[in-house]
Amino acid sequence: MSSPGDYIKELQRSDVSLESLLKTLQSCRVSLTGRPLSWIQEFGGQGMHCLLKHLRNSCSVRGSVEKRIQHECVRCLKAYMNNKYGLQLMLKSEDGLTLLARSMDPNYPSMMTDVVKVMAAVCLVKHDRAVEAMTVCGELEEKGRFSKIVDALHDDHTSLKVACIQFINALISTPDDLDFRLHLRNEFVREGLNDAFQDLRDLENDDLNVQLDIWEEHRDDDASEFQHRLNNIMVNFEYPLQWSSRRDWFDFFA
């Protein structure tokens, strides 16, 4: 197979073995990674929906081959989204990001690392869609929407821990609204993020420490901004009429 149409036809077949499907996905991933943008555009939305179909089918299956298929779908979509064209189509898909979020599984650290990296990039481009995907996924699985991210920080794979903290930083630091940032940060804290921090520092990993430093810097900046806001509120409450005219005074009590 060499053309996008060949891959689409093969991915649409329902009479192939799991092993054959896995090989097709592996070959498709290589093409999506190495071919020019024109190839990806020809693969297009039809190809993307084929990948999402197989990702959807594999999300709730625990077999070893099915999990390898799920990971290959994730890797294909990661390559597919590594350009404006593919990213925009994925953002427009109804459940594409949710399916990626469902593929965050600490039991499969390599796959989860790929997913978390993709979702961190999505945060910087379309933050609300990333949050929506995590929320829907949490509701479907009946657990905290960020619980799997915090659980992964107790994993033995340092690369996954780095990716998770990077995702957390992207998720929290992107919004302009202070209240929303505080809300997201507190949600991670309630999931047990602070409990994992000392263990992460003890690893003495440079990449991990960079991300932890970013977390602490943003946390402290938001705390200072929040304190400044409280101070302004107290000043206005204590001296509400300090610069008011006599007319304003009577209007205040009208």
Side-chain angles (χ1 to χ4, degrees):
M1 288 180 291
S2 59
S3 73
D6 291 337
Y7 282 105
I8 291 172
K9 288 179 183 178
E10 192 66 21
L11 291 171
Q12 288 176 333
R13 291 180 57 185
S14 58
D15 59 342
V16 297
S17 66
L18 293 177
E19 289 77 10
S20 294
L21 174 59
L22 179 60
K23 290 180 181 178
T24 299
L25 289 167
Q26 290 170 336
S27 178
C28 183
R29 184 248 307 166
V30 172
S31 292
L32 287 168
T33 303
R35 297 298 184 94
L37 178 60
S38 58
W39 196 97
I40 296 175
Q41 290 173 328
E42 188 177 346
F43 189 73
Q46 189 176 11
M48 180 193 72
H49 288 300
C50 288
L51 295 174
L52 291 177
K53 178 191 71 173
H54 291 297
L55 181 58
R56 189 179 299 109
N57 292 340
S58 61
C59 271
S60 57
V61 182
R62 286 288 173 183
S64 59
V65 178
E66 288 88 349
K67 282 301 167 186
R68 291 176 65 191
I69 288 173
Q70 184 180 5
H71 191 185
E72 280 304 325
C73 288
V74 167
R75 297 175 78 184
C76 284
L77 289 168
K78 181 182 178 183
Y80 181 82
M81 296 171 67
N82 194 32
N83 58 83
K84 185 176 181 180
Y85 171 81
L87 177 60
Q88 289 299 324
L89 281 184
M90 271 294 288
L91 291 175
K92 292 177 182 177
S93 67
E94 183 176 352
D95 63 346
L97 294 182
T98 301
L99 290 171
L100 283 176
R102 288 181 63 189
S103 299
M104 289 185 184
D105 189 339
N107 293 315
Y108 300 92
S110 180
M111 178 171 67
M112 183 168 178
T113 300
D114 285 332
V115 176
V116 170
K117 288 180 178 179
V118 172
M119 295 299 288
V122 172
C123 280
L124 302 177
V125 178
K126 200 69 175 175
H127 185 270
D128 59 328
R129 290 300 310 279
V131 173
E132 178 188 19
M134 298 296 295
T135 303
V136 172
C137 181
E139 292 172 349
L140 289 172
E141 298 178 352
E142 297 183 342
K143 60 176 62 175
R145 57 182 175 176
F146 302 137
S147 60
K148 291 189 292 187
I149 300 295
V150 177
D151 289 344
L153 296 177
H154 299 286
D155 185 86
D156 293 332
H157 294 76
T158 302
S159 59
L160 175 56
K161 295 179 181 181
V162 174
C164 285
I165 299 297
Q166 189 173 27
F167 170 71
I168 292 171
N169 286 333
L171 187 72
I172 294 176
S173 64
T174 302
D176 293 328
D177 183 72
L178 173 62
D179 291 330
F180 192 29
R181 295 199 303 271
L182 293 174
H183 172 77
L184 291 173
R185 185 176 288 105
N186 288 335
E187 193 168 343
F188 275 105
V189 170
R190 287 195 300 272
E191 291 289 351
L193 181 63
N194 286 348
D195 296 336
F197 257 55
Q198 187 54 54
D199 290 337
L200 296 178
R201 284 292 191 190
D202 290 343
L203 292 175
E204 297 184 352
N205 177 274
D206 290 341
D207 292 335
L208 187 55
N209 283 336
V210 167
Q211 295 302 320
L212 294 174
D213 289 344
I214 292 173
W215 158 273
E216 293 177 351
E217 180 181 349
H218 289 166
R219 178 200 62 193
D220 294 345
D221 287 346
D222 283 350
S224 297
E225 183 177 345
F226 185 68
Q227 185 62 51
H228 182 68
R229 178 198 289 179
L230 287 180
N231 291 340
N232 288 339
I233 292 173
M234 293 303 296
V235 168
N236 291 334
F237 180 76
E238 188 172 358
Y239 305 107
L241 307 173
Q242 184 173 358
W243 296 285
S244 297
S245 64
R246 182 179 179 84
R247 176 66 180 175
D248 292 333
W249 178 278
F250 287 111
D251 287 344
F252 184 81
F253 290 101

